[in-house]
Amino acid sequence: MAGPIPLSQYIAAANAEYYAHRDPLGSAGDFTTAPEISQMFGELIGLWAADLWQRAGSPDITWVELGPGRGTLTADALRAMAQVGLTPPVHFVETSPTLRAAQKAAVPDATWHDDVATLPDDRALIVVANEFFDALPIRQLVRAGDAWRERMVACQDLLFLPIAGKDVPDSIVPEHLRDAAPGSVIETSPANVGIARAVAGRLVRQGGAALVIDYGYEGPAIGDTLQAVSGHRFANPFEEPGSRDLTAHVDFATLGAAAGMEGVRVEGPVGQGAFLTALGIEPRAEALARTSPERAEQLAADRARLTDADQMGELFKAMAWTAPDWPEPAGFA
C-alpha cells in the first residue's frame, strides 16, 4: 500500500480477499446466518414471496438473491414456494468462487451474476438480500477539532491503523450532526445507496418486490459500527485484513430513502422477530415439532434465536420495497 487509503477501499479489498477463498459459514467458519440456523427462515420467506406473487396476479417472475451464502435460504424458499405452484428461475448475485460452488450444490439450476446490472429485464423480480448490505464498504467521517475528516487506513511496518484524512465539507454532514463532539463518527455507504437505487429502479420498471433483512439502525446517527468477526468472536478489523469478515450496521433510513427515490413503496423497517412472527414462525415450529418430536427442543431454541429481542429479534430488521402497482407485502402491518 503506497499511502493511506479510504476506509471504504480497505474494506472492499479485505472482504474481496476474505470471500474469494473460504466458506465463512457454520460452526467451522466465522459466523452463522439465519438460514443456517433453521429451515423455517427460508421457508417463511418463500411463503412471503408466494403470497405476494398470488395477490399480484401470478405473473412471470425471476427469483434473485443477493449474496446468497451457501444457497440455503433459496433452497428452503423454493421448496415452500413449490407447494403453491411457484417455481421461478433463480439468479444469484455472487462473486466468491468458493460460495458459488456451495450454491451450485444447493441450487444446481441457478444462474450467477457479478452484480445486479446483468439481471433479467424481461419480467418481474422477487429480490432477497439477507445479510448482504452489511458487508458492503462504508465511509467514516470523524470529527477532529472543529472539522470533519474522512477516516483513512495507513500501513506502517505491516500494521494497519485508522487515521484522520483531509477535511470534508460540512455540506455532506447531516445538519443535526455537524456540531457533534470531537471523536464522533458518522458512517455512510455509497455502495449501499447505489445498489438500493439500482434494484428499486428495476422493480419500478419490471414489477416485483425486494426484501432486505440485516442488522442495523435508523440513521443517520453518530456511532462507529465497523466490526470484524473471526471464529464466531469479535476481532480487530485492522488486524490481518483478508482473514476475517468486515461488516458494519446498515442505516435502514438512508437505504429506504435511496430506494424510495426511484419510486418504489417502502415498508418497514420492523424487527426480524416481529416480521417472522407475523409470517407464522410459531405455528411452523409447532408443526415441525409434531412431525419430529425429537427435534422439539431444538426447534424451540432456533425459533427463539431468530425472534427473541435479546438475540436476533430486534437488532436484525426487515424492510420491503415494492413496485407501485404491486400489492402490499405481508409482515409489515
Side-chain angles (χ1 to χ4, degrees):
M1 191 165 69
I5 60 174
L7 177 66
S8 56
Q9 186 176 336
Y10 171 82
I11 294 172
N15 276 351
E17 172 67 19
Y18 176 81
Y19 282 102
H21 305 296
R22 74 190 70 211
D23 177 350
L25 297 165
S27 58
D30 291 325
F31 57 89
T32 299
T33 59
E36 304 298 330
I37 292 171
S38 172
Q39 69 187 75
M40 295 183 287
F41 186 80
E43 289 172 347
L44 289 172
I45 289 176
L47 294 175
W48 175 89
D51 166 71
L52 190 58
W53 168 74
Q54 288 181 322
R55 290 188 288 116
S58 304
D60 288 339
I61 67 165
T62 294
W63 173 273
V64 177
E65 188 175 356
L66 310 181
R70 292 175 174 166
T72 305
L73 188 159
T74 289
D76 291 338
L78 289 172
R79 188 174 61 252
M81 290 188 289
Q83 296 177 9
V84 295
L86 177 56
T87 56
V90 173
H91 289 252
F92 287 151
V93 176
E94 177 62 69
T95 58
S96 165
T98 300
L99 289 176
R100 280 192 178 195
Q103 293 154 14
K104 187 171 183 60
V107 188
D109 295 330
T111 300
W112 281 264
H113 303 260
D114 289 335
D115 57 49
V116 299
T118 58
L119 291 172
D121 58 6
D122 60 345
R123 61 178 64 192
L125 305 175
I126 297 291
V127 182
V128 176
N130 179 65
E131 292 199 52
F132 169 75
F133 285 101
D134 67 86
L136 296 183
I138 60 166
R139 295 176 64 193
Q140 285 187 338
L141 305 180
V142 183
R143 181 75 167 175
D146 59 355
W148 286 94
R149 299 182 179 182
E150 180 162 14
R151 177 162 280 175
M152 310 289 283
V153 178
C155 181
Q156 183 175 6
D157 298 329
L158 301 180
L159 296 176
F160 292 86
L161 66 159
I163 63 171
K166 295 181 179 179
D167 292 2
V168 299
D170 280 351
S171 59
I172 72 171
V173 178
E175 187 172 358
H176 69 287
L177 301 177
R178 289 176 187 171
D179 294 327
S184 297
V185 174
I186 298 173
E187 296 178 343
T188 65
S189 179
N192 279 2
V193 168
I195 292 177
R197 294 192 65 176
V199 169
R202 289 292 197 111
L203 298 178
V204 170
R205 294 191 299 272
Q206 298 172 225
L211 177 64
V212 177
I213 301 179
D214 224 312
Y215 52 90
Y217 60 99
E218 294 186 66
I222 296 293
D224 179 355
T225 73
L226 178 65
Q227 62 188 35
V229 175
S230 179
H232 298 268
R233 295 184 178 184
F234 291 113
N236 186 333
F238 299 104
E239 288 183 358
E240 302 179 37
S243 70
R244 53 198 59 183
D245 179 48
L246 301 184
T247 67
H249 289 211
V250 175
D251 176 357
F252 276 92
T254 298
L255 197 67
M261 289 175 63
E262 300 298 318
V264 293
R265 189 171 62 250
V266 178
E267 307 286 350
V270 299
Q272 176 177 289
F275 179 69
L276 294 177
T277 298
L279 297 187
I281 192 170
E282 291 184 12
R284 179 56 180 154
E286 292 168 358
L288 289 171
R290 286 194 298 272
T291 302
S292 305
E294 73 283 358
R295 296 176 57 208
E297 186 174 342
Q298 184 61 53
L299 287 163
D302 292 344
R303 179 195 58 75
R305 186 172 177 186
L306 293 172
T307 62
D308 281 5
D310 61 349
Q311 298 197 55
M312 299 175 72
E314 289 191 358
L315 175 60
F316 283 74
K317 295 173 173 57
M319 172 179 278
W321 310 327
T322 51
D325 57 346
W326 269 54
E328 294 185 4
F332 294 91

